[in-house]
Amino acid sequence: MSFPIEDFPQLWQKPSSQELLASLKRLQSDPPIWNPSTPRKLILETYQNAAQFRREVATYLTSIIGSSLGWIQDEDEKEALWDEASRRLAERCGRAAMGEITRRWPLEGQTFSSFELVIREPPITGDSLGLKTWGSSYLLAQSLDKIAIESLPHLVNLGYPNLSLDVLELGSGTGLLGMAAAAIWQTNVILTDLPTILANLDFNLEKNQPTIEALGGRVSSGALTWGSDDGNAGRFAKKNQFKVILAADPLYDDDHPELLSSAILTHLSEDSDARAIVMVPQRDLITKRLVARFLSIMAASDLVAFEQHTLIGQDDWGEDESSDIECWWAVFGRQ
């Protein structure tokens, strides 16, 4: 979206609050819509055109933020203008600076009807990384039908209801992967995360529940802190009750390999046909070391990686979208 800045009402003209607010609405940067069939170049161009910092627009926005808007009498109208201008400026300063956004995530496949999930992402503050939809979640969601055919044929019968199968997602974040699994596999998925993430997760579940149920799936949520029983939902008091566990991008801190493996060991069914599927983007050497340690801990717990693969994906994190991210993923089971 691009408009000549000189076409907008200028402050020296003392425009009305309605005129200024309308111009700020026109400057809203819509988040990109990711689609498996969209060329990556077009995705990047769309993102850059929509959200990259433009000096002339930033100057216009900061002039509004810094102005007393003395010719506007209503104080509430002034506040609304300053707030709107601040949001437009934040959209042009990288994902972490953005306010709340809503994105549509299309999912297409040969074994299921195409559908779309609508995901709300609140502003990212502090270490609340679960409020962002990570690209690996979308990449794994796109692979769910293939995974069902090649890795889970004994558990998932694509194209038919699988409501007797209970799936647990660890670290669900905004819920994209777990909701996609419920819809594509036509099964029950319990999405979990820290208590501080749950409110937004529940919002997204409620928003998408009609779509998921129309496709034959069911979703619910619960608080689940890895390595602790404090504050966890009561449904997790019973151990080893899930035949399938999903986790996307769960390793980014030093203690995560131990915590994640402990959570899988605790909640994965003890049946020999139970499986855990984990995907981790290989962003740097640190991440690769975390994966290596995770594999070692899992093996020591008699949880073997039956399959290991890599896929190429991307995140829309920050302003540099020029490099692909290699995502490692594996299917684990009890030895």
Side-chain angles (χ1 to χ4, degrees), residues 29-320:
S29 291
D30 295 322
I33 300 172
W34 291 13
N35 190 297
S37 62
T38 303
R40 183 172 180 277
K41 181 180 180 181
L42 180 58
I43 293 175
L44 299 183
E45 288 175 353
T46 301
Y47 179 82
Q48 291 163 356
N49 291 336
Q52 75 178 3
F53 186 88
R54 296 181 182 277
R55 186 180 300 276
E56 67 277 12
V57 174
T59 301
Y60 182 72
L61 294 172
T62 53
S63 70
I64 295 174
I65 295 169
S67 172
S68 66
L69 305 177
W71 65 93
I72 298 174
Q73 301 302 313
D74 192 303
E75 292 298 322
D76 289 338
E77 291 181 0
K78 290 182 183 181
E79 289 291 342
L81 289 169
W82 289 326
D83 288 346
E84 195 72 18
S86 297
R87 281 194 287 270
R88 298 294 83 80
L89 189 61
E91 290 167 356
R92 289 159 173 83
C93 296
R95 174 64 185 96
M98 292 179 72
E100 177 183 304
I101 65 173
T102 299
R103 295 197 280 186
R104 301 192 301 273
W105 299 82
L107 288 152
E108 302 173 354
Q110 296 181 346
T111 62
F112 60 89
S113 299
S114 298
F115 64 98
E116 185 177 77
L117 295 173
V118 180
I119 304 292
R120 182 182 74 174
E121 300 179 19
I124 296 176
T125 57
D127 59 354
S128 297
L129 298 180
L131 299 178
K132 171 181 162 49
T133 304
W134 296 94
S136 57
S137 296
Y138 189 44
L139 187 62
L140 192 52
Q142 290 175 281
S143 305
L144 287 171
D145 56 344
K146 184 178 179 181
I147 290 172
I149 293 170
E150 298 182 359
S151 304
L152 304 175
H154 58 294
L155 294 173
V156 179
N157 190 7
L158 280 180
Y160 297 90
N162 296 280
L163 294 177
S164 62
L165 176 67
D166 287 326
V167 177
L168 174 69
E169 185 187 10
L170 298 172
S172 299
T174 60
L176 175 61
L177 175 59
M179 289 191 291
I184 295 170
W185 292 349
Q186 297 184 49
T187 191
N188 300 303
V189 179
I190 301 177
L191 295 87
T192 67
D193 214 307
L194 298 171
T196 54
I197 305 298
L198 220 55
N200 185 64
L201 176 60
D202 286 340
F203 177 93
N204 287 332
L205 293 187
E206 183 177 355
K207 179 77 173 177
N208 293 280
Q209 192 164 359
T211 297
I212 296 166
E213 291 184 350
L215 292 167
R218 296 176 187 170
V219 289
S220 59
S221 68
L224 182 59
T225 302
W226 306 346
S228 173
D229 291 328
D230 295 337
N232 291 341
R235 67 176 66 185
F236 303 121
K238 180 182 177 182
K239 306 305 180 185
N240 306 113
Q241 58 178 309
F242 296 98
K243 278 292 188 78
V244 177
I245 290 180
L246 298 172
D249 211 340
L251 303 177
Y252 50 87
D253 214 342
D254 287 343
D255 57 353
H256 286 174
E258 287 82 7
L259 292 176
L260 178 61
S261 58
S262 173
I264 294 174
L265 185 65
T266 299
H267 297 288
L268 186 66
S269 169
E270 294 181 334
D271 294 342
S272 61
D273 61 350
R275 297 291 183 266
I277 300 167
V278 180
M279 174 176 279
V280 181
Q282 303 286 272
R283 295 189 176 97
D284 48 33
L285 286 175
I286 294 175
T287 312
K288 292 178 181 179
R289 290 180 186 134
L290 292 176
V291 169
R293 193 156 89 244
F294 172 67
L295 281 167
S296 175
I297 296 170
M298 291 286 279
S301 303
D302 291 329
L303 289 166
V304 178
F306 293 139
E307 305 175 32
Q308 295 191 58
H309 311 274
T310 58
L311 290 171
I312 302 298
Q314 64 182 72
D315 276 327
D316 65 335
W317 181 264
E319 298 178 4
D320 181 10

